Amino acid sequence: MTDFLVNKFIKDSTNIESTEVRTRYGMLASVVGIFCNVLLFSVKLTIGLILSSLAVTADAFNNLSDAASSIISFIGVKMAGKPADAEHPFGHGRIEYIAALIVSFLVIEVGFTFFKSSISKILHPEEISFDLVPFVILILSILVKLWMAFFNNKLGKRIDSKVMLATAADSLGDVITTSATVLSIIICHFTSINVDAIAGLIVSAIVIWSGISIAKDTLEPLIGERVPAELYQKITDIVESYDGIVGTHDLIVHNYGPNRSMATIHAEVPNDINIDVSHEIIDKIERDVKKDLNILLVIHMDPVEMRDEEVLSLREKTSRIVHALDPELNFHDFRVLKENEQRNLIFDLVIPDSYSEKDANRVMHQLVSLLHEMDENVECIITLDRSFEAPES
């Protein structure tokens, strides 16, 4: 069914890198969500009024509130697909994260409402009666919501959409809560044991935790997160694969929404190569990365010494001392300024995230002392730095 809807309503559905295609996916998911929730609302409300069932009528309005999540998703995806303008040069992609954050709060609100209802039932137990028509409606509602959860989850993973995954979690939360109600009714009907309130507490905790997890995953790209290790390695491997590039460091990726990223990286080039040649290589890399990864890459050139024996020797000795202090330490942008007999070593020292400011200053002073012991004519100008790469999971 999912593939049928995608093939029917989304043109060029395999081109998920396209902003227009992603917007069509989002609109399809939102329209399906609105349709299903309004349909459930209409059916439940009609039967609830006919049977004068408060429970069925209340559940109908719960589905109407779920339609609001789909409407929020629709608006969010539509606005996120807007192109860049004078005020927003990187587009509006982050609006999708904001929409997902709003949906996550709705999921949390459902969990808290269910939690309060369960506490009330513990303090004031109610007898659960078995009525066939409302029971069948609950079963059908579970099936529809389960399909909606799989539908949104499949599309959300396909296009990496936070808001679709949040909507899928919202539907799955409804499945869990309604399933708990059905299970409680069955147990109570056949055993006369009322487990409704206890089951409600457990389910509400699951729903609240799900909403918090969605909010956390959505907030990370909004606040700013480290470069995923896989992407970090992919970009550095591409840049370092070109002739004329000696090494790279300080890769930073800025996320402006799904498929909307820009990055900066420092690329080391031999200092004895004509700058026009190096610049042409840099331009080609930037164009190729944009084409292959759809990332706007800006490369800063760092000239490095490749021939001066004295500089190479000092760099090698510095490397041995740095790694002897701590194998996790690293350095880059190594330069030597010669002033008569004095040698000024200038470089950035990359420290692990586990280092406190006190640890960083301690190791830097140790390094300065050891380098001065190595050669009394050596002075150091060290800049402390940290990596922007996320640890491998």
Side-chain angles (χ1 to χ4, degrees):
M1 184 63 175
T2 300
D3 290 334
F4 170 78
L5 290 173
V6 168
N7 294 331
K8 182 72 175 178
F9 295 103
I10 300 179
K11 183 181 178 181
D12 196 20
S13 61
T14 58
N15 185 21
I16 58 175
E17 299 297 325
S18 167
T19 302
E20 291 184 4
V21 173
R22 290 192 83 264
T23 301
R24 293 191 198 109
Y25 268 100
M27 293 178 67
L28 172 63
S30 300
V31 169
V32 168
I34 294 170
F35 174 81
C36 290
N37 282 308
V38 170
L39 178 64
L40 287 173
F41 165 74
S42 303
V43 172
K44 290 180 181 179
L45 180 62
T46 301
I47 295 177
L49 293 174
I50 293 174
L51 299 177
S52 298
S53 172
L54 184 62
V56 175
T57 303
D59 199 33
F61 281 96
N62 178 51
N63 286 128
L64 187 62
S65 69
D66 290 338
S69 297
S70 297
I71 293 172
I72 291 170
S73 300
F74 181 88
I75 296 172
V77 170
K78 187 70 175 175
M79 293 181 67
K82 291 173 60 179
D85 54 34
E87 290 77 22
H88 309 93
F90 296 102
H92 300 76
R94 284 181 177 172
I95 293 178
E96 186 172 323
Y97 299 148
I98 297 172
L101 188 61
I102 295 173
V103 172
S104 73
F105 287 136
L106 293 177
V107 174
I108 295 171
E109 191 272 334
V110 169
F112 272 116
T113 300
F114 206 55
F115 179 82
K116 289 189 294 182
S117 175
S118 300
I119 293 294
S120 177
K121 287 182 180 179
I122 290 175
L123 298 177
H124 309 286
E126 299 174 359
E127 184 178 347
I128 300 177
S129 59
F130 181 87
D131 294 311
L132 182 60
V133 174
F135 185 80
V136 172
I137 293 172
L138 289 176
I139 297 295
L140 293 175
S141 177
I142 289 173
L143 295 176
V144 173
K145 282 290 186 177
L146 188 61
W147 178 80
M148 289 174 63
F150 282 118
F151 176 74
N152 281 284
N153 187 64
K154 185 174 182 178
L155 296 192
K157 287 183 176 179
R158 182 178 297 183
I159 67 170
D160 188 26
S161 171
K162 300 286 187 185
V163 69
M164 284 190 197
L165 294 176
T167 304
D170 187 21
S171 296
L172 192 59
D174 288 337
V175 170
I176 295 172
T177 54
T178 308
S179 298
T181 302
V182 169
L183 184 62
S184 299
I185 291 173
I186 294 173
I187 293 174
C188 185
H189 180 67
F190 288 102
T191 66
S192 298
I193 300 175
N194 192 337
V195 298
D196 186 48
I198 301 300
L201 283 177
I202 296 173
V203 170
S204 65
I206 295 173
V207 174
I208 291 171
W209 178 253
S210 174
I212 292 173
S213 298
I214 297 168
K216 180 178 178 292
D217 291 342
T218 306
L219 278 172
E220 285 182 353
L222 285 172
I223 296 172
E225 56 188 339
R226 286 182 177 275
V227 186
E230 182 180 354
L231 180 60
Y232 192 102
Q233 194 62 48
K234 182 180 292 185
I235 294 175
T236 55
D237 285 348
I238 289 175
V239 177
E240 292 176 6
S241 68
Y242 286 76
D243 291 336
I245 303 297
V246 179
T248 59
H249 55 267
D250 285 349
L251 170 62
I252 306 174
V253 177
H254 304 276
N255 185 320
Y256 292 94
N259 296 337
R260 293 177 177 88
S261 294
M262 74 163 294
T264 59
I265 191 172
H266 288 223
E268 298 171 352
V269 299
N271 65 351
D272 57 349
I273 298 295
N274 186 291
I275 191 171
D276 289 334
V277 174
S278 293
H279 188 269
E280 181 59 34
I281 295 171
I282 295 298
D283 279 350
K284 177 172 174 50
I285 298 173
E286 291 174 343
R287 289 193 300 269
D288 290 349
V289 169
K290 175 62 178 176
K291 178 182 177 182
D292 297 338
L293 302 182
N294 194 31
I295 293 176
L296 176 61
L297 182 64
V298 178
I299 301 178
H300 172 80
M301 289 190 297
D302 284 333
V304 295
E305 180 59 59
M306 301 295 294
R307 297 181 182 277
D308 191 308
E309 293 296 334
E310 182 182 10
V311 173
L312 296 179
S313 176
L314 286 170
R315 184 162 60 197
E316 175 62 29
K317 291 175 182 178
T318 301
S319 177
R320 288 201 300 267
I321 293 174
V322 166
H323 291 102
L325 284 172
D326 187 341
E328 292 189 25
L329 292 172
N330 210 333
F331 69 98
H332 55 71
D333 281 343
F334 186 88
R335 291 173 291 148
V336 178
L337 293 183
K338 303 176 183 180
E339 298 179 3
N340 298 323
E341 295 299 320
Q342 183 174 311
R343 299 292 181 264
N344 293 323
L345 308 188
I346 306 171
F347 58 90
D348 292 355
L349 180 66
V350 184
I351 57 176
D353 289 322
S354 58
Y355 272 41
S356 64
E357 186 177 349
K358 182 179 179 181
D359 294 331
N361 289 327
R362 172 185 52 79
V363 78
M364 185 171 70
H365 289 310
Q366 289 177 334
L367 178 57
V368 170
S369 177
L370 290 171
L371 287 171
H372 191 68
E373 287 180 13
M374 174 192 72
D375 187 339
E376 61 182 11
N377 294 321
V378 163
E379 297 294 336
C380 298
I381 302 174
I382 303 174
T383 301
L384 292 177
D385 197 4
R386 294 182 187 267
S387 174
F388 296 99
E389 177 185 7
E392 294 186 14
S393 56

